[in-house]
Amino acid sequence: MKKILVPIKRVIDYAQKIRVDPTKGPQGVQLKNVKMSMNPFCEIAVEEAIQLKEQNKGAEVVAISVGPKQCTETIRTALAMGADRGIHIETKPDVRGDYIDLQPWAIASLLKGIVDKEDAVDLVLLGKQSIDSDCGQTGPLLAGLLNAPQATFAANIERGDDGSFTVERETDTGTETIKLNASGKPAVITCDLRLNTPRYPTMPNIMKAKKKPVETISLEDMVKELGLDLDEVLTPKNEVVEVYEPPPRKEGETVGSIDELIGKLKEKGLVA
Amino acid sequence: KVAVACPALPTSKNVALLVCNSYKDVLQVLKTSKEQLGEILSAIELIDLNTMKFVQRYGSGIGDHLISELLASEVAGNQPLFILVESQGCNQEADSSKMDAFLTSLYESSTIENGFLAQDSKHIDEIWGIRESCNPSVARAGYVHKFDVSIGIESYIEVADEVIDALNEANLPDLTVCVWGHVADGNAHINVVSGQLETNAAEAEIIENIVYAAVMKRKGSISAEHGIGQSKRKYMSQIKDGTALEIMSQMKTLFDPHLILAPGKYLP
């Protein structure tokens, strides 16, 4: 196995309370001074890539991220987990990755260009969706653009000696097993929660990561290099119309006795 | 009506779990943290090997895979000590950079054997979950003789070792000494865990005497953050001199001339 690409996304940390500024319309989600981390599903993808690398000596894991300059930290995390090198496509600081500016189509187009440029890519592992836009589209779009075999929501991945991948995927009614045959194209697999438990970066690996190469290239330069159209990439295909916080929880009702409680429950049709 | 002054919630939090080979290294971590993390240092918690093993065995399951990796540092006769370090501040980039420099200097000087750096909130919750599991895990293992003592921070493990030797000499089998606590504040808890679920008064007194003797030998206090209460009252005359006790008595009488408040409970 030669090369595994892992696109990763820097998002608002999953445990943060999201605040919406109602005066900012669709741009209302507050990003300033908010803790950011690697998207949890991307972490799972990185972990899987490293496990596959450990099983297949000589494989190279490349972490790729599109975003502002702080994305290098996200890439360093992937390197500290065990990835070999990184590619940072740097966007201007005001370009938002949470569906407002950059959307899956743009990312998939960029990734397709990188896959072609990198050459000899066996596998692209992505998180099944990002927790800010929740689209779940980048993986499938990339597979479509590459005309490559894909499997989404992977809960288990096994690589065959012939270069095929057998994937157990999550569905609403159970698990489905799909085999992606070796096709000369990279397999595209998106990762779900049960796939693995991402490791902690440990000191020895954090130290090694500082010496691993990270190529930084501006979005504009990358777009030019790949022969894409910058407008095409930066103009979102979908428009966010409105963003609002979920309505606050309604105050509960206090009752004076058990009989009153039962009465209320019956009233609301919760008890026969 | 009550007005509460609330500090602003810090926007940047960094947590790491470190592995040291000796207590001397732990003290060095403490010293270095004050020099290199300074104002953003918010917590340093110690967990010794015995405690970590109880957490693995009796804990709630939080951080299990991390605990396995931590316990793997115990090799041939080595007794690792684990430290949780937390920083809180208002600038994620600056804080992460300080934390990175701090951990790098500790690692390069071999003050730490290894370190696990939390990458997101899930890791932070896991690492704190392990720390918070110390007390309940140990309580599930058996009867716990708890000691909230103040001694010079450099003496905690020494005291633990002394207690272990004394307990062996007193022929008290089936007891494990666990040390964990807030070493950044200069305070740790010594817990003597029995293999049985109950104890008897005689055994409890022997253990108490052993621990307090080790503490008072070092001019420490038998009470740190948790107060004297009723159970430590009998030691008052050993830790406070006659004049101090007399003044304490006078203060009590000043505020409670008719001895209405908890008579006979606290002052001898």
Side-chain angles (χ1 to χ4, degrees), chain A residues 27-226:
Chain A
Q27 308 255 354
V29 172
Q30 302 283 62
L31 293 177
K32 283 219 165 21
N33 233 9
V34 166
K35 186 179 169 75
M36 309 286 279
S37 305
M38 196 191 299
N39 183 43
F41 298 109
C42 296
E43 259 187 55
I44 293 173
V46 173
E47 173 63 29
E48 196 63 16
I50 293 162
Q51 286 188 21
L52 282 165
K53 172 186 142 136
E54 286 165 350
Q55 291 156 23
N56 296 276
K57 301 264 182 279
E60 189 191 20
V61 175
V62 187
I64 305 162
S65 197
V66 184
K69 75 167 165 38
Q70 295 91 336
C71 276
T72 21
E73 277 164 45
T74 318
I75 294 178
R76 287 276 161 223
T77 302
L79 296 177
M81 285 170 72
D84 298 291
R85 66 181 158 92
I87 300 174
H88 177 200
I89 300 172
E90 193 175 331
T91 59
K92 296 206 167 63
D94 57 344
V95 170
R96 291 175 71 137
D98 61 344
Y99 208 59
I100 301 296
D101 298 315
L102 290 172
Q103 293 182 354
W105 177 257
I107 305 297
S109 308
L110 286 166
L111 291 175
K112 186 226 182 252
I114 295 176
V115 169
D116 289 340
K117 189 175 117 151
E118 282 284 329
D119 200 36
V121 176
D122 298 279
L123 173 64
V124 184
L125 275 170
L126 306 94
K128 72 170 177 180
Q129 67 197 63
S130 67
I131 60 172
D132 50 9
S133 58
D134 283 320
C135 292
Q137 296 167 356
T138 307
L141 284 172
L142 176 61
L145 289 171
L146 288 171
N147 210 15
Q150 66 169 296
T152 53
F153 317 138
N156 191 256
I157 301 176
E158 302 278 344
R159 182 175 181 268
D161 289 327
D162 59 350
S164 65
F165 289 96
T166 303
V167 179
E168 261 176 56
R169 62 186 292 267
E170 311 276 30
T171 72
D172 288 335
T173 49
T175 327
E176 171 182 53
T177 308
I178 295 189
K179 185 173 177 199
L180 305 179
N181 294 321
S183 65
K185 298 269 184 180
V188 176
I189 302 178
T190 75
C191 304
D192 208 336
L193 210 56
R194 278 199 304 141
L195 184 58
N196 60 46
T197 306
R199 63 193 67 188
Y200 281 76
T202 57
M203 275 324 288
N205 290 329
I206 292 172
M207 301 296 291
K208 281 190 211 144
K210 294 180 203 233
K211 306 204 175 86
K212 293 179 182 173
V214 177
E215 181 200 336
T216 304
I217 176 168
S218 74
L219 176 66
E220 291 74 17
D221 286 343
M222 184 54 107
V223 159
K224 214 191 296 183
E225 195 180 307
L226 297 175

